[in-house]
Amino acid sequence: MNYIGIDLGGTNIKGALVSAKGEILKEHSIPTRVDLGPEAVAGRIGQVIAQLSIGEDTVGGVGVGCPGTVDDASGIVRFAANLNFVNFDLRSALRAHTALPIHLGNDANAAALGEALFGCGRGAESTIVVTLGTGVGGGVVQDGKMLTGYTGHMVIAENGEECTGGSRGCFEAYSSATALIRDTKRTMAAHPESLLHAIAAEQGGVDGRTAFLAKERGDEAGAQVVEDYIEHLACGLTNLVNIFFPEVLALSGGVANQGDALLLPLRERVRERSFGSRYAVSHTRIELCTLGYRAGVIGAAMLARE
């Protein structure tokens, strides 16, 4: 049996026909066109489903990974800011375009499921995926089953930086790419002599790479930005390890592309601070995700399989 996975984003709708073993058999994508409204977006998802279904008579269902707060039991997307969905009954809207069974999930959770089953967490009993992008999101998979509820809004610094969620001191407010860029800009303003300025000019602006590149060139200000970022990230990840003690904790998103410059100090700090680490026989492995953008469609397809 094969399944259709949909990764619904604010810019594009990506879809794939996926085998029960996680193999992508066919792909199709189109622009989301949020400006047309929720019903039209559902219709465009229907177009992707129809395209992937051509000539296929063994499709068992459709899984949709959607940003925001998603309720699979009711089929309603409670809130998805970048899609302008508020209490939108996405399942009912999709039933006008396909007779296949439809399952919904948060997009970060779906990507985590894909990585846990067929990517960096393949064969592990438990996997946590943390995405370091515009915000911080992720998912927890235990024994092949997705646990819902993890977001980037646990507090790691009381009365700290303001977060987009309305609180202060959240993991996301310190460990997202947005936070890294904010802190890089602040440091540039405080240190006009820093190489950060020249590197930002070379790169066409400040991004998540700027401070890491400055550190590579021996810039003290850039090194401090990186140090602070890794320190906050280690704090949040250590909390996750202490709560779940996963076999694998995997990172995705643009910041994760820094590779060993990020991973090596991060692994050391998280291991040092994990409860009972001195006496533990095994430790959580901190790795990079391996499926890239395909994690979303593969994981969404597995929502339908499950």
PDB file of all heavy atoms in Angstrom, residues 17 29 61 74 86 124 126 144 171 178 189 225 246 262:
ATOM      1  N   LEU A  17       3.901  10.749  -3.282  1.00  0.00           N
ATOM      2  CA  LEU A  17       3.366   9.399  -3.123  1.00  0.00           C
ATOM      3  C   LEU A  17       4.471   8.580  -2.483  1.00  0.00           C
ATOM      4  O   LEU A  17       5.596   8.506  -3.007  1.00  0.00           O
ATOM      5  CB  LEU A  17       2.982   8.818  -4.478  1.00  0.00           C
ATOM      6  CG  LEU A  17       2.360   7.412  -4.455  1.00  0.00           C
ATOM      7  CD1 LEU A  17       0.970   7.455  -3.824  1.00  0.00           C
ATOM      8  CD2 LEU A  17       2.289   6.841  -5.868  1.00  0.00           C
ATOM      9  N   SER A  29       4.418  19.607  -6.604  1.00  0.00           N
ATOM     10  CA  SER A  29       4.219  20.766  -5.739  1.00  0.00           C
ATOM     11  C   SER A  29       3.652  21.922  -6.543  1.00  0.00           C
ATOM     12  O   SER A  29       3.879  22.019  -7.761  1.00  0.00           O
ATOM     13  CB  SER A  29       5.528  21.183  -5.066  1.00  0.00           C
ATOM     14  OG  SER A  29       6.453  21.665  -6.015  1.00  0.00           O
ATOM     15  N   GLY A  61      -4.464   6.368   1.799  1.00  0.00           N
ATOM     16  CA  GLY A  61      -4.932   7.554   2.488  1.00  0.00           C
ATOM     17  C   GLY A  61      -4.000   8.723   2.273  1.00  0.00           C
ATOM     18  O   GLY A  61      -2.963   8.611   1.612  1.00  0.00           O
ATOM     19  N   SER A  74     -10.878  16.091  15.106  1.00  0.00           N
ATOM     20  CA  SER A  74     -11.986  16.845  14.503  1.00  0.00           C
ATOM     21  C   SER A  74     -11.710  17.224  13.055  1.00  0.00           C
ATOM     22  O   SER A  74     -12.630  17.595  12.319  1.00  0.00           O
ATOM     23  CB  SER A  74     -12.251  18.125  15.307  1.00  0.00           C
ATOM     24  OG  SER A  74     -11.143  19.012  15.210  1.00  0.00           O
ATOM     25  N   VAL A  86      -8.104  29.920  10.875  1.00  0.00           N
ATOM     26  CA  VAL A  86      -8.616  30.028  12.244  1.00  0.00           C
ATOM     27  C   VAL A  86      -9.833  29.121  12.347  1.00  0.00           C
ATOM     28  O   VAL A  86     -10.853  29.369  11.699  1.00  0.00           O
ATOM     29  CB  VAL A  86      -8.998  31.473  12.615  1.00  0.00           C
ATOM     30  CG1 VAL A  86      -9.555  31.522  14.040  1.00  0.00           C
ATOM     31  CG2 VAL A  86      -7.795  32.403  12.495  1.00  0.00           C
ATOM     32  N   ALA A 124      16.051   3.519  16.035  1.00  0.00           N
ATOM     33  CA  ALA A 124      16.106   3.963  17.430  1.00  0.00           C
ATOM     34  C   ALA A 124      14.742   3.794  18.099  1.00  0.00           C
ATOM     35  O   ALA A 124      13.706   3.927  17.448  1.00  0.00           O
ATOM     36  CB  ALA A 124      16.536   5.428  17.509  1.00  0.00           C
ATOM     37  N   SER A 126      13.572   5.791  20.437  1.00  0.00           N
ATOM     38  CA  SER A 126      12.968   7.112  20.647  1.00  0.00           C
ATOM     39  C   SER A 126      13.820   8.182  19.989  1.00  0.00           C
ATOM     40  O   SER A 126      15.054   8.126  20.023  1.00  0.00           O
ATOM     41  CB  SER A 126      12.836   7.402  22.149  1.00  0.00           C
ATOM     42  OG  SER A 126      14.089   7.271  22.794  1.00  0.00           O
ATOM     43  N   GLY A 144       8.062   4.371  17.467  1.00  0.00           N
ATOM     44  CA  GLY A 144       7.403   4.560  16.183  1.00  0.00           C
ATOM     45  C   GLY A 144       6.116   5.348  16.235  1.00  0.00           C
ATOM     46  O   GLY A 144       5.479   5.560  15.204  1.00  0.00           O
ATOM     47  N   PHE A 171      12.516  29.163  24.853  1.00  0.00           N
ATOM     48  CA  PHE A 171      13.559  28.494  24.065  1.00  0.00           C
ATOM     49  C   PHE A 171      13.670  29.141  22.688  1.00  0.00           C
ATOM     50  O   PHE A 171      14.765  29.434  22.204  1.00  0.00           O
ATOM     51  CB  PHE A 171      13.175  27.016  23.972  1.00  0.00           C
ATOM     52  CG  PHE A 171      14.210  26.096  23.386  1.00  0.00           C
ATOM     53  CD1 PHE A 171      15.553  26.426  23.362  1.00  0.00           C
ATOM     54  CD2 PHE A 171      13.827  24.859  22.872  1.00  0.00           C
ATOM     55  CE1 PHE A 171      16.508  25.565  22.827  1.00  0.00           C
ATOM     56  CE2 PHE A 171      14.766  23.989  22.340  1.00  0.00           C
ATOM     57  CZ  PHE A 171      16.108  24.355  22.311  1.00  0.00           C
ATOM     58  N   THR A 178      16.045  33.333  14.064  1.00  0.00           N
ATOM     59  CA  THR A 178      15.634  34.724  14.277  1.00  0.00           C
ATOM     60  C   THR A 178      16.367  35.321  15.471  1.00  0.00           C
ATOM     61  O   THR A 178      16.840  36.466  15.429  1.00  0.00           O
ATOM     62  CB  THR A 178      14.115  34.786  14.524  1.00  0.00           C
ATOM     63  OG1 THR A 178      13.438  34.177  13.418  1.00  0.00           O
ATOM     64  CG2 THR A 178      13.641  36.220  14.678  1.00  0.00           C
ATOM     65  N   ALA A 189      26.067  46.440  16.471  1.00  0.00           N
ATOM     66  CA  ALA A 189      25.841  47.824  16.898  1.00  0.00           C
ATOM     67  C   ALA A 189      26.775  48.208  18.036  1.00  0.00           C
ATOM     68  O   ALA A 189      27.243  49.361  18.121  1.00  0.00           O
ATOM     69  CB  ALA A 189      24.386  47.995  17.335  1.00  0.00           C
ATOM     70  N   VAL A 225      28.911  35.852  20.269  1.00  0.00           N
ATOM     71  CA  VAL A 225      27.544  35.579  19.808  1.00  0.00           C
ATOM     72  C   VAL A 225      27.324  34.073  19.692  1.00  0.00           C
ATOM     73  O   VAL A 225      26.315  33.537  20.148  1.00  0.00           O
ATOM     74  CB  VAL A 225      27.270  36.261  18.447  1.00  0.00           C
ATOM     75  CG1 VAL A 225      25.905  35.833  17.900  1.00  0.00           C
ATOM     76  CG2 VAL A 225      27.316  37.769  18.588  1.00  0.00           C
ATOM     77  N   PRO A 246      15.838  10.597  25.134  1.00  0.00           N
ATOM     78  CA  PRO A 246      15.708   9.917  23.838  1.00  0.00           C
ATOM     79  C   PRO A 246      17.008   9.253  23.425  1.00  0.00           C
ATOM     80  O   PRO A 246      18.094   9.659  23.852  1.00  0.00           O
ATOM     81  CB  PRO A 246      15.378  11.075  22.890  1.00  0.00           C
ATOM     82  CG  PRO A 246      16.091  12.246  23.503  1.00  0.00           C
ATOM     83  CD  PRO A 246      15.960  12.051  24.993  1.00  0.00           C
ATOM     84  N   LEU A 262      28.857  23.725  15.422  1.00  0.00           N
ATOM     85  CA  LEU A 262      27.727  23.741  16.349  1.00  0.00           C
ATOM     86  C   LEU A 262      27.656  22.454  17.154  1.00  0.00           C
ATOM     87  O   LEU A 262      27.502  22.461  18.379  1.00  0.00           O
ATOM     88  CB  LEU A 262      26.425  23.923  15.559  1.00  0.00           C
ATOM     89  CG  LEU A 262      25.114  23.864  16.354  1.00  0.00           C
ATOM     90  CD1 LEU A 262      24.980  25.092  17.243  1.00  0.00           C
ATOM     91  CD2 LEU A 262      23.921  23.761  15.410  1.00  0.00           C
TER      92      LEU A 262
END
